[in-house]
């Protein structure tokens, strides 16, 4: 997992994002403001009470916390922040869906420029590319502005209500709470009606439509392949304009979203801040790892150490030599529990370390160490202790 976070951190820093470490729990209002028709809030939120009777929630996602931090701290805009850490949702656990899972993500607050949308999508795409995933596809859509929403919702309601009997019972409930979410239904009974539903793109303002064109042009210019998914709606109510999702064809269809995000131009104001727009995404680390497994991206073998320290002395030599080699940036391991010389050499062999550093009473008396090449003819040489690091590096051809 940390390898993935490191790659993400590297890409985010190259793109001028600074790290933010939001708390794992917040005042529950930070999340309930996300919208009452959002599953993450209504059904999945871990809702706690502390000793003072305050209602807190374990974060189900990071965007609201990042916006809350922006409202409190008011950094210069555009403010670019990245994060990594666990999120919590009360779900029925299954492969790729957990109650605690890790996300990495990035948010930009304070710019309407569609180039920022393209930049954050490009950041996610370069992360997947760098870890070597080839079967991740990018889906994009526009959700228009908040002002476009009522007309579209009305059209959707009209469409579904005209044929209410053919809609599944669950979707009939969803229709009342949030018609947009009916488009998310994967139930076969709803498939025909969902397929025939009016498209958001036909209801968005000229401004939002031209911003969407600009994002597409940007993605093409950066040679990031994408597919327009006119029915892609995101789980949270606050999304406006650009919405996107990364899906892995190496995962089961039900849990194939490895990441997603979009614009949320009203959220900062909703949380009591100024009218600042925002755009960002979160990528699921657990699912990304599952996709890596399916695509065979990582070598499942743990890396061998570069050096194995073998010490047949009663003193602290093994501790000291190991520490000195590690300080020089080498990966080093050793045996414990006073194993015999023979058992230690066996362990060195098993570790596949190319070099062993061996020290016995004679070496201690002479202030030397023996270096053995573990492969080939097992050549062994005695070197002065102070030359140990440079000689080991020579043997490792560093
Ligand atoms: P969301 O905020 O729901 O768009 O989530 C962003 C990403 O986090 C998803 O694309 C998934 O990869 C991941 N994710 C969301 N919920 C879960 C979960 N319960 N278990 C594992 N990963 C999740």
């Amino acid at each position: 997992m940390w390898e993935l976070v490191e790659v993400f951190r590297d890409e985010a820093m190259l793109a001028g994002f600074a790290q933010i470490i939001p708390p794992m729990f917040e005042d529950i209002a930070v999340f309930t403001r996300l919208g009452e028709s959002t599953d993450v809030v209504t059904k999945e939120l871990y809702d706690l009470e502390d000793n003072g009777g305050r209602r807190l929630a374990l974060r189900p996602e990071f965007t609201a916390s990042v916006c809350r931090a922006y409202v409190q701290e008011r950094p210069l805009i555009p403010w670019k922040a990245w994060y990594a850490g666990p999120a919590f949702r009360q779900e029925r656990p299954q492969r790729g869906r957990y109650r605690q899972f890790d996300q990495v993500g990035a948010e930009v607050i304070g710019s309407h420029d569609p180039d920022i949308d393209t930049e954050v999508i490009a950041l996610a795409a370069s992360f997947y590319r760098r870890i070597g995933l080839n079967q991740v596809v990018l889906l994009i859509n526009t959700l228009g502005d908040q002002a476009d929403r009522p007309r579209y919702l009305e059209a959707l309601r009209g469409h579904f209500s005209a044929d209410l009997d053919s809609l599944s019972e669950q979707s009939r409930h969803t229709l009342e709470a949030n018609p947009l979410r009916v488009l998310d239904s994967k139930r076969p009974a709803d498939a025909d009606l969902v397929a025939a539903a009016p498209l958001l793109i036909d209801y968005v303002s000229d401004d939002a439509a031209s911003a969407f064109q600009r994002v597409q042009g940007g993605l093409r210019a950066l040679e990031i392949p994408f597919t327009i998914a006119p029915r892609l709606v995101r789980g949270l109510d606050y999304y406006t304009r650009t919405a996107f999702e990364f899906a892995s064809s190496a995962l089961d269809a039900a849990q194939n979203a490895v990441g997603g995000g979009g614009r949320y131009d009203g959220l900062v104001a909703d949380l009591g801040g100024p009218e600042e727009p925002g755009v960002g995404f979160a990528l699921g680390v657990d699912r990304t790892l599952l996709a890596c497994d399916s695509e065979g991206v990582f070598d499942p073998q743990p890396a061998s150490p570069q050096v194995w320290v073998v010490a047949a002395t009663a003193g602290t030599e093994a501790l000291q030599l190991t520490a000195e080699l590690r300080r020089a940036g080498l990966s080093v391991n050793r045996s414990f529990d006073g194993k015999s010389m023979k058992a230690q050499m066996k362990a060195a062999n098993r570790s596949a370390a190319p070099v062993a550093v061996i020290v016995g009473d004679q070496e201690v008396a002479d202030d030397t160490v023996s270096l053995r090449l573990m492969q080939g003819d097992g050549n062994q040489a005695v070197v002065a202790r102070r030359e140990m690091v440079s000689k080991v590096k020579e043997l490792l051809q560093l």
Side-chain angles (χ1 to χ4, degrees), residues 96-126:
R97 187 173 295 280
Y98 313 111
R99 287 179 291 211
Q100 174 175 343
F101 54 97
D102 278 281
Q103 290 189 330
V104 293
E107 314 287 342
V108 183
I109 293 178
S111 172
H112 288 285
D113 192 337
D115 278 8
I116 290 273
D117 305 32
T118 309
E119 194 174 295
V120 298
I121 294 173
L123 169 58
S126 58

Side-chain angles (χ1 to χ4, degrees), residues 307-380:
V307 184
W308 196 271
V309 171
V310 174
T313 69
T316 53
E317 285 75 22
L319 280 174
Q320 288 169 294
L321 295 177
T322 304
E324 187 178 335
L325 290 158
R326 286 179 184 156
R327 268 199 303 277
L330 298 168
S331 63
V332 189
N333 218 335
R334 52 167 281 207
S335 304
F336 295 91
D337 299 306
K339 294 249 159 47
S340 71
M341 188 75 169
K342 196 168 155 212
Q344 290 190 53
M345 285 310 294
K346 225 168 148 185
N349 255 321
R350 225 178 8 232
S351 78
V355 174
V357 171
I358 304 166
V359 60
D361 291 334
Q362 190 60 51
E363 279 90 351
V364 174
D366 299 345
D367 203 18
T368 58
V369 294
S370 294
L371 305 185
R372 181 194 285 229
L373 263 181
M374 300 300 286
Q375 275 111 28
D377 56 7
N379 226 339
Q380 189 162 322

